[in-house]
Amino acid sequence: MKLHWSPRSPFVRKVMIVLYEAGIEHQVTCVRTPVAMDKPNLDLMPDNPLSKLPTLVLDDGTAIYDSRVICAYLDGVAGAGLLPAEPRARLIAERRQALGDGFLDTLLLYRQERNKPQERQTPAWLSAFGLKAKAVVAALEKEAPELETTPFDLGLISIGCALSYLDYRFADLPWRDGHPALAAWHLRFNERPSVVRSQPDDAAA
Amino acid sequence: MKLHWSPRSPFVRKVMIVLYEAGIEHQVTCVRTPVAMDKPNLDLMPDNPLSKLPTLVLDDGTAIYDSRVICAYLDGVAGAGLLPAEPRARLIAERRQALGDGFLDTLLLYRQERNKPQERQTPAWLSAFGLKAKAVVAALEKEAPELETTPFDLGLISIGCALSYLDYRFADLPWRDGHPALAAWHLRFNERPSVVRSQPDDAAA
C-alpha cells in the first residue's frame, strides 16, 4: 500500500499511530506529498481530487480517504481492535474521533487565519476559533476521567493528536492551565510508543 | 431524540435524508439552531463545543456528531441498510461519503471566501477551491456508471447533497457542462422522495 504522507500533518499522524499500534507499518510505503490550502498538489489529485492528506492507495490501485476511513480500514485489516465492537462504546469512540477531527479542522483554519497579514484577517473568525478551542478543552477536561479508563482506541488517538497539535502549532495557548486531568491524560498519551514514533519531524524535507 | 437543525445546512440534510429513508423522522424533534463560522452558538456548545450542525442528542442526554457518526447511528438503529455490510462495498461507500463531505467542507469555505470584501480575500484560496471543485466533478463523472448501479447508500447521499449544494450556492458554476453522466445520475437522485422532502427551505426563519 502507498500512503500519501507528510511529516507534520496531524491527520497523517492518526494513520501512523494506527499502523504502529497494529504492527503493520512495513506493509505501507510512505510517499512525501506536500499539500497546502493555497496550493493543490496535482500529483495527488488523481488519487484524491480534494488534494488532502492522508490518502491511502491499496495494492489494487483503489484510493481511499479521509483519515477516518483509512484508520477504520487498517484497523479492520490488522484486527487491531482500535474501534470497539460493542455498539455503545463504538458510538462514544466515533463521537470522540469526530470531536478530535473537528477540533483539528478548526485549528488548521485558525492557524491559516493567524498567519495572514493583519489586513486580510477576519477578527470575528479569530475570536470564534479561540472560543471553540477553549470550549473543546473544557469539555475534554470534564471527560478526562472516562478517557483514563477507556482502552486505547481511535477516539483517544484523534483527541490526543489534536492536543499534540495544539502544543506543536499553538505553543502560546496555555491549554493545560485549569485542566489538570486532561493534561495528565495527555502526558500518558504522549508516552505511548506509537505516539512517540509518530512525532512531527521538523527536520524532514 | 433532539436534532440541532437548520433548514439550509447540507450536512443536516444528509441526516434528514437518512431519517426519511429509514422512516423514523417522527422519533426526532428538530430544533432550529443557527450557527455561523464567525458566530459560535453558545446554546449549542454544551452539546457540541465545536458549535457545528448537525448534533443529535439521544434520549439519555448523550450528544453525538458529526453527520457521519449520526447517519451511521440512525442507520443502525433503524436497520435501514444505508451502509453496506459487505466490506468492499462498505469501504467504497465510506470513501464516497468522505469525498462528498470533504467537497462540502471545501465549498463552505469557498463560499465564505467569495462573500468577503475583496480586500480580505486570498486569491490563491479562491483559485485552489475552484480547481478542487472542478477535479471532484471530473472524478465523479468518471465514477458515474458505478454510482448508477450502487444501491442507495450513505456514499451516494453525501455526493448527491454536495452536488445539490453546488446548485444551491454556486448556481454560477455550470458543473453539468461536460459531465452528462453525473448530471443524469443527480437528476434521479433529486427525484427521490427523501431528497425532495429535505430540500433547503429559503422561507424558513
Side-chain angles (χ1 to χ4, degrees):
Chain A
M1 294 180 276
K2 179 175 90 175
L3 179 67
H4 289 288
W5 174 93
S6 111
R8 286 177 283 267
S9 156
F11 289 107
V12 166
R13 189 177 190 186
K14 286 176 60 192
V15 173
M16 297 310 297
I17 291 175
V18 169
L19 287 171
Y20 294 137
E21 289 288 333
I24 56 168
E25 67 273 21
H26 56 280
Q27 293 183 27
V28 169
T29 306
C30 293
V31 178
R32 176 82 168 95
T33 304
V35 297
M37 218 165 130
D38 57 354
K39 235 183 267 164
N41 184 320
L42 299 180
D43 294 328
L44 170 59
M45 288 168 85
D47 288 329
N48 182 345
L50 295 167
S51 183
K52 284 197 149 188
L53 297 182
T55 296
L56 181 70
V57 184
L58 308 185
D59 292 337
D60 70 359
T62 307
I64 64 171
Y65 43 86
D66 49 16
S67 72
R68 235 186 270 186
V69 175
I70 295 172
C71 288
Y73 172 77
L74 293 172
D75 180 58
V77 164
L82 295 170
L83 260 183
E86 193 274 315
R88 171 80 190 182
R90 190 185 186 99
L91 182 63
I92 299 300
E94 287 176 340
R95 196 267 303 151
R96 284 182 182 147
Q97 183 169 222
L99 178 58
D101 290 359
F103 193 22
L104 280 171
D105 281 333
T106 297
L107 292 174
L108 289 167
L109 286 176
Y110 194 0
R111 180 163 179 257
Q112 293 282 344
E113 196 67 18
R114 292 213 306 182
N115 289 349
K116 281 182 191 168
Q118 203 174 352
E119 66 274 15
R120 280 203 281 114
Q121 290 178 345
T122 303
W125 283 22
L126 290 168
S127 312
F129 294 147
L131 187 69
K132 288 177 183 190
K134 277 187 189 155
V136 170
V137 171
L140 288 172
E141 173 70 12
K142 270 198 211 165
E143 201 175 337
E146 291 100 72
L147 300 181
E148 284 289 354
T149 56
T150 302
F152 200 70
D153 70 10
L154 288 179
L156 302 185
I157 290 172
S158 183
I159 286 171
C161 284
L163 293 172
S164 295
Y165 187 78
L166 264 184
D167 284 336
Y168 183 50
R169 296 294 197 192
F170 292 82
D172 55 309
L173 287 191
W175 67 265
R176 288 175 181 81
D177 291 2
H179 306 110
L182 186 61
W185 174 79
H186 189 250
L187 196 66
R188 274 181 292 282
F189 173 82
N190 264 341
E191 287 167 350
R192 208 166 162 103
S194 62
V195 175
V196 174
R197 285 180 74 183
S198 63
Q199 266 168 354
D201 181 359
D202 273 325
Chain B
M1 293 180 275
K2 178 176 91 175
L3 179 67
H4 290 289
W5 173 93
S6 113
R8 286 177 284 266
S9 155
F11 288 108
V12 166
R13 189 176 190 186
K14 285 176 60 190
V15 174
M16 297 311 296
I17 291 175
V18 169
L19 288 170
Y20 295 136
E21 289 287 332
I24 55 169
E25 67 272 21
H26 57 278
Q27 293 185 28
V28 169
T29 306
C30 292
V31 178
R32 176 81 169 96
T33 305
V35 298
M37 216 163 129
D38 57 353
K39 235 185 266 163
N41 184 319
L42 299 180
D43 294 328
L44 169 59
M45 288 168 86
D47 287 329
N48 181 345
L50 295 167
S51 182
K52 284 198 149 187
L53 298 182
T55 295
L56 181 71
V57 184
L58 308 186
D59 291 336
D60 69 359
T62 307
I64 64 171
Y65 44 85
D66 50 15
S67 72
R68 236 186 268 187
V69 174
I70 295 172
C71 288
Y73 172 77
L74 294 172
D75 180 58
V77 164
L82 294 170
L83 258 183
E86 193 275 314
R88 172 78 190 184
R90 190 185 186 98
L91 182 63
I92 299 300
E94 288 176 341
R95 197 265 304 152
R96 284 182 183 146
Q97 182 168 223
L99 177 58
D101 290 359
F103 192 23
L104 279 170
D105 281 332
T106 297
L107 291 175
L108 290 165
L109 286 176
Y110 194 0
R111 179 163 179 258
Q112 293 282 343
E113 197 65 20
R114 292 212 307 182
N115 290 349
K116 281 182 190 169
Q118 203 176 351
E119 66 274 14
R120 280 204 281 112
Q121 290 178 345
T122 303
W125 284 22
L126 291 168
S127 314
F129 294 148
L131 186 70
K132 287 178 183 190
K134 277 187 188 157
V136 170
V137 171
L140 287 172
E141 172 69 12
K142 271 197 210 165
E143 201 174 336
E146 291 99 72
L147 300 182
E148 285 288 355
T149 57
T150 302
F152 200 70
D153 69 9
L154 288 179
L156 302 186
I157 291 171
S158 183
I159 286 172
C161 285
L163 293 173
S164 295
Y165 187 77
L166 264 184
D167 284 337
Y168 183 52
R169 295 295 196 192
F170 292 83
D172 55 311
L173 287 191
W175 68 266
R176 288 175 181 81
D177 290 2
H179 307 111
L182 186 61
W185 174 79
H186 188 249
L187 195 67
R188 274 181 293 280
F189 173 84
N190 264 342
E191 288 167 349
R192 209 167 162 104
S194 62
V195 174
V196 174
R197 285 180 73 181
S198 63
Q199 266 169 356
D201 181 1
D202 273 325

